[in-house]
């Protein structure tokens, strides 16, 4: 009969585990938790540049939620994330399904299609800002040649919103593609062979086998991309700086501008906490959906 481990052995194992885990916990505490606590503290005070001054309670939050500009910024962030996901998730998923097949030059296509992900947000924004420029951009030139009308994509609210969504989708969909492609390659080949033997068509295999098996990966991608979109600053800042007339101003961009352009650190911290809370809410919703799908 196997004897249970001695109490001293268990204590030693717990001590060793604590020693190994402690640096990771300390790193998470310093990088993730303490900045959030400091930002929340700053958001409750009046600030003069980087100096925390008098305690003013939730006045900065009242300034956000008590103005049409604040609600417009929140709406812009949610719509920006939602519209980006509507493009990125289907595009990344079905691109991964196509690239998972054994076809000529598929390796070359896999390499080329992830190139947008290699570029930085600044390079991507500058590239597309040049392509969509209303005066000398190639896209505007071809649009004028086809329709006889000049196109300025950053001059109206609707086209500016659509422009940053399309550019963001082009920039981030390779991340979803890589995650879904990895999930597809983890599915046993025997599963598809059995479906083929049973007479299932490609469409039936896709909807009844492939998509249900990669559903957790797709939901994980949604969580990750949502958090990235709510926190994205550089792409929007370089392309539109929130214009025209605040149509593309998101919470993250507003937090950056209030904190580092106008030096309203308290208000900028309040916007940051709003981002943090939105990420928590959406993540909890996605986790609940993920758990229900597993059950």
């Amino acid at each position: 009969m196997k004897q249970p481990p001695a109490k001293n052995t268990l204590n030693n194992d717990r001590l060793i585990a604590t020693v190994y885990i402690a640096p990771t916990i300390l790193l998470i505490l310093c990088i993730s938790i303490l900045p959030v606590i400091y930002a929340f503290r700053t958001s409750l005070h009046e600030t003069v540049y980087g100096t925390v001054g008098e305690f003013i309670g939730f006045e900065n939050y009242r300034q956000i939620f008590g103005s049409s500009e604040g609600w417009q910024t929140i709406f812009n962030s949610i719509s920006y994330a939602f519209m980006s996901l509507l493009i990125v998730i289907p595009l990344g998923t079905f691109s991964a399904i196509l690239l998972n097949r054994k076809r000529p030059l598929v390796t070359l296509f896999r390499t080329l299609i992830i190139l947008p992900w290699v570029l930085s947000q600044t390079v991507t924004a500058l590239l597309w800002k040049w392509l969509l420029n209303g005066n000398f951009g190639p896209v505007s030139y071809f649009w004028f040649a086809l329709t006889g009308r000049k196109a300025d994509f950053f001059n109206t609210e609707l086209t500016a919103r659509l422009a940053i969504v399309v550019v963001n989708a082009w920039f981030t969909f390779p991340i979803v593609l890589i995650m879904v492609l990895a999930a597809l390659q983890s599915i046993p080949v025997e599963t598809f062979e059995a479906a083929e033997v049973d007479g299932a068509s490609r469409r039936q295999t896709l909807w009844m086998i492939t998509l249900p098996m990669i559903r957790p990966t797709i939901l994980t991608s949604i969580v990750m991309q949502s958090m990235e979109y709510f926190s994205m600053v550089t792409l929007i800042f370089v392309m539109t700086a929130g214009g025209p007339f605040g149509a593309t101003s998101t919470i993250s961009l507003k937090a950056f501008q209030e904190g580092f352009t106008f030096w309203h650190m308290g208000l900028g911290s309040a916007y940051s906490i709003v981002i943090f809370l939105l990420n928590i809410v959406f993540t909890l919703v996605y986790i609940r959906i993920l758990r229900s799908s597993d059950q």
Side-chain angles (χ1 to χ4, degrees), residues 35 55 61 75 104 133-134 158 212 222 243:
F55 178 80
Y61 295 94
F75 171 77
N133 187 279
L158 178 60
I222 293 174

Side-chain angles (χ1 to χ4, degrees), residues 74-282:
I74 295 173
F75 171 77
N76 289 343
S77 296
I78 295 175
S79 61
Y80 172 71
F82 182 71
M83 288 191 295
S84 297
L85 289 173
L86 282 180
I87 300 174
V88 167
I89 299 303
L91 181 61
T93 300
F94 287 103
S95 297
I97 292 172
L98 291 175
L99 292 175
N100 191 45
R101 299 174 181 176
K102 293 182 179 179
R103 292 184 176 181
L105 302 178
V106 68
T107 304
L108 176 63
F109 286 126
R110 288 179 184 176
T111 304
L112 293 176
I113 209 166
I114 65 171
L115 284 180
W117 185 41
V118 179
L119 302 176
S120 67
Q121 291 186 38
T122 304
V123 173
T124 301
L126 290 174
L127 171 64
W128 279 95
K129 192 174 182 179
W130 168 72
L131 289 172
L132 300 177
N133 187 279
N135 295 321
F136 51 79
V139 176
S140 299
Y141 173 79
F142 287 113
W143 180 264
F144 181 79
L146 291 173
T147 64
R149 297 180 180 180
K150 184 178 178 181
D152 193 345
F153 297 96
F154 302 115
N155 195 37
T156 62
E157 296 182 11
L158 178 60
T159 54
R161 287 172 180 169
L162 292 176
I164 62 170
V165 167
V166 170
V167 173
N168 181 46
W170 179 84
F171 174 64
T172 57
F173 93 92
I175 304 173
V176 178
L177 186 152
I178 292 171
M179 294 182 65
V180 174
L181 185 60
L184 288 171
Q185 293 182 347
S186 67
I187 301 176
V189 180
E190 292 79 8
T191 304
F192 299 107
E193 293 176 349
E196 186 177 355
V197 170
D198 291 339
S201 64
R202 285 189 175 182
R203 181 178 297 180
Q204 290 173 328
T205 303
L206 172 65
W207 291 104
M208 304 301 294
I209 297 176
T210 304
L211 291 180
M213 294 191 73
I214 63 174
R215 186 179 178 184
T217 301
I218 293 174
L219 290 174
T220 302
S221 301
I222 293 174
V223 174
M224 293 177 58
Q225 294 309 109
S226 297
M227 296 178 69
E228 181 180 358
Y229 297 156
F230 278 117
S231 305
M232 189 173 284
V233 175
T234 307
L235 186 73
I236 303 173
F237 180 75
V238 175
M239 286 190 68
T240 64
F245 309 110
T248 59
S249 179
T250 60
I251 304 175
S252 56
L253 179 61
K254 201 71 176 175
F256 173 80
Q257 290 176 327
E258 292 291 345
F260 300 103
T261 302
F262 308 122
W263 289 101
H264 301 154
M265 298 298 293
L267 185 58
S269 297
Y271 274 111
S272 300
I273 296 299
V274 172
I275 298 172
F276 177 71
L277 295 176
L278 283 173
N279 279 329
I280 289 178
V281 170
F282 279 93

